[in-house]
């Protein structure tokens, strides 16, 4: 395989570990824990894994650990640093006993169920150290939630002599990891399950998990390109750039990129929902900023839009819900209608309120809302070109204002969507170190006989040597939520907090950023050079952790 010069040089990077993990390690147990909410219901569902203590690893004395084989799964969307979690896990178990083996299940949880795996040897691991991607074993979105899947998994785990399974995933995958841990514990199968917090979306975090891995690198990659666009924008001074940023639900990525690049506008979905804003309110807000800049002679700017926005606009949420139900119940009749009459058909069938909203949408977006459904029958919001929807509606509003003499500028838009561009970038130093530490910590949780824990590395704004490694019972992060009509135990998703320090910092500056051209150009991630350039954590983490 041909490698780039950076790949060759970067392979030699030795990720930094918390000092407590560099020698012999002992376990320090904390107090028993409670789930964040619905304690009674969660305890009942997880009798074997509820209430366990927090774990911290400290420097200790050598002990003998029996030989053990370990399995690993990458679950869900790619996030920079996955390969380092696996190399940290590999190095951890090999240090405990060189005879220990690591097996990777291929293409996500499906690999466990279908018995599709490969042994990850030192040669393979060395090829992937400090690289982006999940290609060492691939990833997948199969949900591990049925008993027959757990049993199929058990068959292969037993056959390979695997003592513990590490599931690297987001909130849903870690919820499933916890259910699996409970199941194997209840059955006395002797197989432990450990989770690792992954997702570029940054929405798997809480008091004990400071950040999910991949968020740092993905945001830095997007911010580099946003900065480049801003500089282009400020050079040509003729375009408004509408940039949609990945993040299925929460707006953490958009917010972090805004803090890094200081665009003219950034929409935060959680705020739109909290203020009960309509689509027209969002459009008016952007159009007003465009008009104000035009009045000062600036017919250019940048707008950041979170991918999940549409579902946070309360009225759009209602429209989507009615459309989902209506199309599910009338799919045959709908598909028999000629394409050019489908819009009118839907307008005639929806409730008056939703019909009016649907009719006001640009043609393309209305079509996307009625056509693209996922296997569960839901609208695939990530396919909706919100950046085009907003710029088109802003353009219309400005034209109307022009006719009324309220606006005197020129409005010309460019569109971008950044998502896949950042999910497999080579991990930043932060993610390379953080992920390696998470994987290494997972090996210690296994050696200590723990199950139903998530690997946790805290104090991450300090130098890596001072990071605190340990484990958090996954049940501690759970509450009960309605999913597909049923109450289910799930890990609470962390949305942007409007009273949190990152949002407050943004809110305090956004008016100035809208008027002035206050762009910041972060440049590309640096892998070699001074620590302040290479090792800085995200603004979100710095603001959240500032004491
Ligand atoms: P995870 O939650 O699995 O980490 O994935 C998040 C994400 O990257 C979202 O930002 C995005 O909406 C989604 O995956 C895209 O999914 P897919 O990779 O299936 O296109």
């Amino acid at each position: 395989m041909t490698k780039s010069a950076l790949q060759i040089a970067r392979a030699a990077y030795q990720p930094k570990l918390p000092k407590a993990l560099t020698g012999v390690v002992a376990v320090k147990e904390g107090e028993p824990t409670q789930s964040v909410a619905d304690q009674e219901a969660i305890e009942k569902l997880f009798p074997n894994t509820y209430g366990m203590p927090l774990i911290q690893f400290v420097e200790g004395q050598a002990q003998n650990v029996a030989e053990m084989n370990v399995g690993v799964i990458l679950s869900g969307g790619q996030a920079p640093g996955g390969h380092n979690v696996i190399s940290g896990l590999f190095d951890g178990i090999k240090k405990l006993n060189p005879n220990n083996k690591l097996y990777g299940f291929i293409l996500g949880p499906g690999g466990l169920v279908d018995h599709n795996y490969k042994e990850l040897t030192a040669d393979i691991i060395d090829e992937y150290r400090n690289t982006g991607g999940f290609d060492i074993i691939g990833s997948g979105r199969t949900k591990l939630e049925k008993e027959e899947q757990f049993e199929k998994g058990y068959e292969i785990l037993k056959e390979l002599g695997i003592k513990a399974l590490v599931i690297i995933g987001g909130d849903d995958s870690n919820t499933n990891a916890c259910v699996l841990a409970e199941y194997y514990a209840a059955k006395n199968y002797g197989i432990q399950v450990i989770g690792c917090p992954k997702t570029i979306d940054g929405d798997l975090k809480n008091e004990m998990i400071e950040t999910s891995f991949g968020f740092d690198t993905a945001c830095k990659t997007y911010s580099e390109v946003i900065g480049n666009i801003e500089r282009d924008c400020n050079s040509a001074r003729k375009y408004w750039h509408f940039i949609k940023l990945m993040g299925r639900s929460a707006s953490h990525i958009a917010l972090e990129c805004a803090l890094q690049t200081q665009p003219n506008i950034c929409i935060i979905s959680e705020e739109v929902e909290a203020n009960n804003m309509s689509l027209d309110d969002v459009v008016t807000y952007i159009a007003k900023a465009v008009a104000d800049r035009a009045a000062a002679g600036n017919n250019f700017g940048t707008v950041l839009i979170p991918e999940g926005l549409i579902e946070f606009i309360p009225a759009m949420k209602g429209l989507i819900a009615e459309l989902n139900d209506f199309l599910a119940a009338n799919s045959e009749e709908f598909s028999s209608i000629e394409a050019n009459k489908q819009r009118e058909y839907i307008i005639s069938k929806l409730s008056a309120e939703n019909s009016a909203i649907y009719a006001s949408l640009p043609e393309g977006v209305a079509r996307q809302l009625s056509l693209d459904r996922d296997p569960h029958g839901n609208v695939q919001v990530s396919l909706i070109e919100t950046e085009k929807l907003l710029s088109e509606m802003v353009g219309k509003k400005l034209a109307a204002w022009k006719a009324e003499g309220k606006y005197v500028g020129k409005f010309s838009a460019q569109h971008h969507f950044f998502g896949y561009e950042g999910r497999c970038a080579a991990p930043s130093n932060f993610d390379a170190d953080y992920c390696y530490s998470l994987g290494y910590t997972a090996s210690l949780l296994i050696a200590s006989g723990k199950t139903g824990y998530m690997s946790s590395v805290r104090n991450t704004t300090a130098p890596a040597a001072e990071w605190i490694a340990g484990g958090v019972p996954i049940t501690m992060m759970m509450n009960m939520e309605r999913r597909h009509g049923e109450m289910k135990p799930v890990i609470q998703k962390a949305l942007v907090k409007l009273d949190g320090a990152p949002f407050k910092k943004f809110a305090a500056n956004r008016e100035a950023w809208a008027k002035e051209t206050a762009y910041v150009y972060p440049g590309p991630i640096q892998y070699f050079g001074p620590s302040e350039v290479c090792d800085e954590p995200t603004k979100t983490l710095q603001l959240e952790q500032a004491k």
Side-chain angles (χ1 to χ4, degrees), residues 188-456:
N188 264 320
Y189 283 171
I191 292 174
Q192 302 155 237
V193 184
I194 301 295
C196 271
K198 169 235 73 167
T199 178
I200 60 160
D201 292 4
D203 54 9
L204 171 47
K205 63 175 170 185
N206 50 52
E207 219 184 308
M208 302 307 298
I209 303 294
E210 294 181 356
T211 185
S212 56
F213 80 75
F215 177 71
D216 184 277
T217 310
C219 289
K220 284 174 180 164
T221 306
Y222 304 142
S223 295
E224 176 205 347
V225 192
I226 294 166
N228 295 349
I229 289 177
E230 287 179 335
R231 203 145 212 173
D232 192 288
C233 175
N234 194 17
S235 304
R237 304 194 186 176
K238 60 177 181 182
Y239 291 126
W240 271 87
H241 290 267
F242 284 70
I243 305 169
K244 183 171 79 169
L245 291 161
M246 228 181 212
R248 173 88 192 64
S249 192
S251 308
H252 297 293
I253 294 178
L255 178 57
E256 170 64 24
C257 292
L259 292 167
Q260 287 194 30
T261 62
Q262 304 190 177
N264 301 102
I265 299 169
C266 174
I267 307 294
I268 300 297
S269 306
E270 290 83 346
E271 185 184 25
V272 168
E273 184 172 48
N275 293 345
N276 200 12
M277 287 170 84
S278 64
L279 186 55
D280 187 58
D281 292 337
V282 177
V283 169
T284 307
Y285 171 71
I286 300 173
K288 177 92 180 49
V290 172
D292 287 350
R293 280 179 67 80
N298 296 320
N299 288 298
F300 64 94
T302 33
V303 185
L304 304 189
I305 302 152
E307 181 185 37
L309 176 66
I310 285 290
E311 280 193 317
F312 281 78
I313 297 175
M316 291 296 290
K317 210 177 186 171
L319 166 65
I320 291 170
E322 188 178 346
L323 265 177
N324 283 346
D325 291 350
F326 176 77
L327 292 175
N330 301 281
S331 62
E332 259 180 48
E333 186 175 285
F334 180 69
S335 49
S336 71
I337 289 175
E338 279 175 55
N340 60 358
K341 301 214 168 97
Q342 286 178 338
R343 185 179 160 101
E344 287 314 311
Y345 168 80
I346 289 180
I347 291 172
S348 73
K349 296 288 183 184
L350 294 178
S351 63
E353 192 189 351
N354 285 332
S355 170
I357 300 172
Y358 188 81
S360 73
L361 295 175
E363 188 81 37
V365 175
R367 200 173 40 248
Q368 274 165 341
L369 281 181
S370 61
L371 289 186
D372 301 313
R373 288 288 180 282
D374 72 7
H376 305 283
N378 297 316
V379 173
Q380 289 180 268
V381 282
S382 62
L383 296 182
I384 299 172
E385 293 174 312
T386 334
E387 68 284 19
K388 292 194 181 146
L389 165 75
L390 290 177
S391 86
E392 201 174 319
M393 294 181 87
V394 166
K396 276 194 187 150
K397 192 158 287 277
L398 290 170
W401 287 352
K402 194 169 243 175
E404 292 167 32
K406 289 203 271 183
Y407 162 68
V408 283
K410 281 196 209 116
F411 177 71
S412 179
Q414 296 286 347
H415 306 103
H416 317 266
F417 170 36
F418 298 140
Y420 301 99
E421 292 81 350
R423 295 202 312 185
C424 283
S428 60
N429 279 359
F430 178 88
D431 271 328
D433 298 347
Y434 183 54
C435 290
Y436 187 81
S437 300
L438 285 171
Y440 200 94
T441 302
S443 75
L444 296 171
L445 287 166
I446 298 166
S448 332
K450 304 297 173 197
T451 190
Y453 275 80
M454 192 183 289
S455 181
S456 135

Side-chain angles (χ1 to χ4, degrees), residues 74-79 108-109 134 138-142 168-170 173 198 423:
L74 290 162
S75 180
Q78 285 70 253
F134 276 7
S139 186
R141 291 198 182 273
T142 302
I168 303 170
S173 307
K198 169 235 73 167
R423 295 202 312 185

